[in-house]
Amino acid sequence: MTIKIHQIRFAPIARSSAICVCALSLIVFATAPAQAQLGAVFPSLAPVETIKVDELKTLLDQRKAAEKKAQAEEKTVDSDFVLVDVRSEKEFSVSMIPGAITKAEFEKQKSKFKDKTVIAYCLVGGRSGRYASELRREGYDVKNFKGSILGWCQAELPVVTPDGKPTKRVHIYSDRYSIPDSYEALTE
């Protein structure tokens, strides 16, 4: 079997122009991730900002302290963020991050949160990332808690039942996910 390779020949000027275009393309597209570059042109494609465990814990601690102070002064406090659990009912019925509301609760009163930062979480960050992207397209200021409830548990932070009672149970779907031994993993 014979394979023929055709060689394309460029005139010297065309060759140098092609090299310049390639070099310029490499410089432009190699300096930032492709998603970020596309995000500059198409904002809805820009990656959603993420929030880390320690940042979320700080926000929740600050909100709790503000609520405690307001309660002592018989006032109310209005938080500038809302934490939304986008997991299934099967998952959040076992446990949630303290201070979170469910996606269904959020959807019922969406307009109430239009001027707040929405922080979405799920099991590991995939579903919450997709939901955060949807909300951003709708004009919400939104962040994805990338580590989500597994990251929260890896930091050995508390979880609660939907009615606010402390628990150590966490729904993880399968044994491929691991959590510290101080928690009880549920897969059903």
Side-chain angles (χ1 to χ4, degrees):
M1 173 196 273
T2 304
I3 300 174
K4 292 184 179 181
I5 300 175
H6 295 280
Q7 186 175 20
I8 299 173
R9 295 182 185 218
F10 293 98
I13 293 174
R15 184 181 307 145
S16 64
S17 296
I19 291 171
C20 287
V21 169
C22 288
L24 184 59
S25 296
L26 283 173
I27 291 168
V28 169
F29 288 104
T31 56
Q35 259 192 325
Q37 294 162 24
L38 289 173
V41 179
F42 304 102
S44 64
L45 295 178
V48 171
E49 186 178 341
T50 58
I51 186 168
K52 298 176 184 174
V53 172
D54 57 332
E55 294 169 315
L56 179 58
K57 183 179 182 321
T58 298
L59 287 174
L60 290 169
D61 288 347
Q62 289 170 347
R63 179 167 71 185
K64 191 173 184 177
E67 288 170 349
K68 189 174 181 177
K69 182 180 178 189
Q71 186 179 13
E73 297 172 358
E74 296 181 8
K75 295 180 181 177
T76 59
V77 67
D78 190 29
S79 179
D80 59 351
F81 73 96
V82 59
L83 181 61
V84 180
D85 187 330
V86 305
R87 297 176 303 150
S88 69
E89 184 175 356
K90 187 176 185 179
E91 293 171 282
F92 71 71
S93 66
V94 174
S95 62
M96 302 172 71
I97 295 174
I101 63 171
T102 67
K103 179 180 174 183
E105 291 173 297
F106 176 80
E107 292 287 333
K108 284 180 191 172
Q109 47 189 345
K110 234 176 170 175
S111 61
K112 175 182 173 183
F113 303 110
K114 196 68 174 171
D115 64 336
K116 299 182 184 307
T117 299
V118 179
I119 302 170
Y121 80 92
C122 58
L123 182 65
V124 294
R127 288 174 287 172
S128 56
R130 286 187 295 279
Y131 187 63
S133 292
E134 286 176 32
L135 291 176
R136 191 182 55 203
R137 282 190 294 274
E138 294 175 23
Y140 286 86
D141 175 29
V142 64
K143 295 181 181 183
N144 181 26
F145 179 26
K146 186 108 178 158
S148 286
I149 200 159
L150 286 184
W152 188 259
C153 292
Q154 290 299 332
E156 301 210 23
L157 294 167
V159 292
V160 295
T161 61
D163 60 352
K165 294 179 182 160
T167 186
K168 287 293 192 171
R169 302 173 75 200
V170 180
H171 194 291
I172 62 167
Y173 270 111
S174 80
D175 293 333
R176 76 174 191 219
Y177 299 112
S178 64
I179 56 175
D181 291 338
S182 60
Y183 296 89
E184 178 187 349
L186 300 180
T187 57
E188 294 179 22

